[in-house]
Amino acid sequence: MPRRAGGGRVPDGRSLRADRRRVRVLVHAAVATALAGALLTGSAEAARTPPRTGFETAAGARWTSPAGERSLLAALAGRGDGASVERIGTTEQGRPLRLVRIGGRRPGALTVLLVCSQHGDEPAAREACLTMVRDLGYARDPATRDFLARTEILVIPTANPDGSAAGTRGNSDDVDINRDHIALRTAEGRAIAAVLRDHAPDVVYDLHEYGADAPYYDKDLTVLWPRSPNVDDRVRDESKLLAARYVRPAAGSAGHDSGIYGIWTDPVTGRPVKQTAGDGQERILRNAAGVKHAVALLVESRVDPLTDAERADPAVNNRRRVHSQLAGIKGLFSYVGERRGEIAAATAGSRAAGAVDRGPVLLGGADNEDPAPGDVLARPPCGYRLTAQGFAAVGDELALHEVTSRPDGDGVYVPLDQPARRLIQLLLDARASYHLINGQADTAC
């Protein structure tokens, strides 16, 4: 390299090009560092900023899309703050069934399961659940954080993805999922049964919508507890209390009137006129959950528009439907927060009763309807025997129902003295309306 006057060197062309490359590298590194910092800052900010549902973005003019749900749940799970999303099944058309888990960090936490939109043409229930999990997942106030530390919230936000995509009540096989909680023939019903078995929720809250019939049946929100006569009295009492003292008052405080699902009432006197729905058949989730020892409640928002504004603008009607569901959920959480001890005692007592109860079991009836004489097993069997072939046909379903059995010769024996005592005869007795198989009753007690 030639020298400058005064002793310095004059850079040649190669040196100049090398210097320029070094400068460019340093500049690019600085820019990359700055961009990385900006991205990290943006990611941290995004993690703190709650995402909006498609329903909220459209101000109720449209429902959240499957892609919007997927994005919202991915953001929630990516926060690394105790929330998780897992796939619990796959529908006939290949859509995922998802379970969201939030909270439950302390020993002895109560577990609450919300099942949303079993009927695909009842979207307000799903929207309320998506909004609720987002709000809980991003909450920072001490009261909510303490509630979540003591409560595990489980949510199936879209219990019928195929029906939701098609706007149909049933799934892609045209099966009503809410009539499949005994037979468990659908992927959706089996996924819900597995959650009930694996997580043993203390409370099950089932969100739906209904069509009004004015003036006798047109409340903003209707509710119903498990009517099955096989539900433990302690569980049923807690379920009725949840409806009467928490969910309905919460709806009223939010400006929504409420009633009992399936019961028409005189608009002047408020007295019951007739019952059109809401029986005790255990294949419906509110009843199945109650028989499986959970405090349970069916909650239905009114689909039909109430006012001229709602008739003129469906978005106004949609917002009211979702708002009434969110008000009910607020009542649910108040109930859980205030009655933890009573809830735990009721569900534990129901489970324990199966091992010691020797009283009658019932194949029909409801809490407001006496069973027919043939539905009362005054001297129930000790258990039921199944052939090996019979057990092969229903063994998976019995396992999902948390029914235990033991080998018995060349077959299987299902004893009645277990927590599922009041469910077993509904599954295995030929006289039960929705039994899985005809088991051989063992009366040699």
Side-chain angles (χ1 to χ4, degrees):
M1 179 180 295
R3 292 185 178 273
R4 291 180 186 271
R9 289 183 178 272
V10 178
D12 58 19
R14 285 179 299 180
S15 298
L16 286 172
R17 287 193 294 271
D19 290 341
R20 291 191 189 106
R21 282 197 298 269
R22 282 193 293 271
V23 169
R24 283 198 299 271
V25 168
L26 291 173
V27 170
H28 290 165
V31 171
T33 301
L35 285 174
L39 288 172
L40 288 172
T41 302
S43 298
E45 183 62 29
R48 290 191 296 268
T49 303
R52 302 185 75 201
T53 66
F55 179 82
E56 292 169 325
T57 301
R62 60 178 173 82
W63 307 105
T64 301
S65 67
E69 174 183 335
R70 185 169 60 250
S71 175
L72 184 147
L73 296 183
L76 182 66
R79 285 172 51 75
D81 193 27
S84 66
V85 180
E86 63 179 293
R87 188 170 186 151
I88 56 172
T90 303
T91 69
E92 183 69 22
Q93 294 183 344
R95 293 184 173 90
L97 290 154
R98 298 185 180 94
L99 177 70
V100 182
R101 302 177 64 181
I102 304 174
R105 291 183 293 275
R106 294 181 189 169
L110 287 184
T111 298
V112 178
L113 170 65
L114 293 92
V115 180
C116 318
S117 295
Q118 288 194 76
H119 297 140
D121 57 354
E122 298 170 4
R126 170 177 174 264
E127 290 296 340
C129 288
L130 290 174
T131 299
M132 179 268 297
V133 296
R134 186 273 316 280
D135 290 347
L136 289 182
Y138 282 80
R140 281 291 171 269
D141 61 285
T144 302
R145 303 302 291 179
D146 180 67
F147 175 80
L148 290 175
R150 298 184 296 151
T151 314
E152 180 184 40
I153 303 296
L154 306 176
V155 185
I156 303 175
T158 307
N160 182 3
D162 291 351
S164 179
T168 58
R169 178 178 176 87
N171 66 2
S172 57
D173 290 326
D174 198 28
V175 176
D176 185 336
I177 294 166
N178 203 29
R179 302 296 184 275
D180 188 42
H181 296 292
I182 287 289
L184 304 182
R185 297 297 184 235
T186 66
E188 298 88 350
R190 295 173 75 85
I192 294 170
V195 173
L196 292 175
R197 178 196 62 192
D198 297 341
H199 297 275
D202 299 281
V203 182
V204 175
Y205 194 82
D206 186 21
L207 292 79
H208 289 259
E209 295 198 84
Y210 82 104
D213 200 335
Y216 300 101
Y217 191 50
D218 63 348
K219 304 298 185 183
D220 285 7
L221 206 70
T222 60
V223 300
L224 191 62
W225 52 89
R227 286 199 182 276
S228 166
N230 289 298
V231 174
D232 187 276
D233 287 343
R234 290 161 290 195
V235 166
R236 187 186 347 271
D237 288 347
E238 284 294 326
S239 302
K240 294 175 75 171
L241 188 146
L242 166 60
R245 281 181 40 189
Y246 290 90
V247 172
R248 294 187 64 187
S253 296
H256 303 287
D257 57 2
S258 64
I260 304 301
Y261 176 75
I263 302 296
W264 284 30
T265 58
D266 186 294
V268 177
T269 66
R271 293 177 179 173
V273 174
K274 64 178 179 178
Q275 181 172 334
T276 60
D279 56 23
Q281 54 180 302
E282 287 84 358
R283 63 178 183 160
I284 295 172
L285 181 59
R286 64 179 163 82
N287 288 314
V291 175
K292 293 182 177 182
H293 321 295
V295 175
L297 197 67
L298 168 75
V299 182
E300 305 235 3
S301 52
R302 171 191 166 129
V303 171
D304 312 79
L306 281 168
T307 64
D308 289 341
E310 289 187 5
R311 282 183 281 273
D313 184 356
V316 178
N317 179 35
N318 294 343
R319 292 197 298 269
R320 188 260 309 158
R321 290 155 62 184
V322 174
H323 185 260
S324 66
Q325 289 280 9
L326 288 170
I329 293 173
K330 182 178 180 181
L332 165 69
F333 290 164
S334 294
Y335 166 75
V336 172
E338 292 179 14
R339 292 188 63 81
R340 293 180 180 279
E342 293 85 352
I343 296 167
T347 57
S350 176
R351 287 183 176 279
V356 298
D357 192 359
R358 296 295 181 269
V361 292
L362 305 173
L363 303 175
D367 67 347
N368 62 346
E369 178 186 359
D370 291 335
D375 288 337
V376 180
L377 304 185
R379 297 184 62 185
C382 314
Y384 293 86
R385 288 189 172 87
L386 301 177
T387 65
Q389 182 179 9
F391 183 70
V394 300
D396 287 348
E397 287 73 27
L398 293 179
L400 283 167
H401 282 304
E402 206 172 359
V403 172
T404 61
S405 59
R406 62 176 182 260
D408 182 61
D410 60 354
V412 164
Y413 186 75
V414 181
L416 228 63
D417 58 346
Q418 56 178 298
R421 179 180 190 269
R422 294 189 179 190
L423 177 63
I424 290 169
Q425 80 280 359
L426 304 173
L427 303 173
L428 303 180
D429 198 293
R431 292 165 289 184
S433 298
Y434 307 105
H435 64 281
L436 299 177
I437 195 170
N438 296 341
Q440 179 186 355
D442 171 24
T443 59
C445 299

